[in-house]
Amino acid sequence: MGTAADEGPDWLTRAQFAAALQVHVGTVSRWIAADPDMRVKRLGPNGHRVRIHRSELERRSGMSPIGDTTASA
C-alpha cells in the first residue's frame, strides 16, 4: 500500500508533470531550462524528449507557476 504520490512511474513526461501540478506544459519546460538542479532525464539523440523525476512534484508543489514564492498579496 502507498499514497497516491507513491503510485505510478518514477519518471513523468512533461504533460504528466504539468497535469499533476495544474500548470501549462510550457511552464514545465521553462522550469527545466532555468533549474540545473531539477532531476531530469533527457531521451533520444537530440535530448528533446525529457522525463522529470516524481520527487520534483514535492519540490514544485509549493511554488507558484512562475516560481516566485516571495510575492506578497
Side-chain angles (χ1 to χ4, degrees):
M1 276 196 230
T3 63
D6 293 333
E7 297 173 4
D10 287 338
W11 294 94
L12 306 172
T13 65
R14 284 181 232 224
Q16 291 169 325
F17 193 80
L21 294 176
Q22 298 180 349
V23 297
H24 193 273
V25 176
T27 300
V28 175
S29 296
R30 284 192 297 278
W31 285 343
I32 292 168
D35 186 357
D37 295 329
M38 195 168 179
R39 251 180 110 178
V40 174
K41 179 168 43 173
R42 296 192 173 274
L43 307 173
N46 298 324
H48 291 289
R49 292 182 297 149
V50 299
R51 299 295 180 265
I52 304 108
H53 197 268
R54 182 171 289 281
S55 64
E56 293 293 329
L57 287 174
E58 287 181 26
R59 199 171 151 229
R60 293 285 172 175
S61 63
M63 300 178 108
S64 69
I66 57 171
D68 181 10
T69 58
T70 61
S72 59

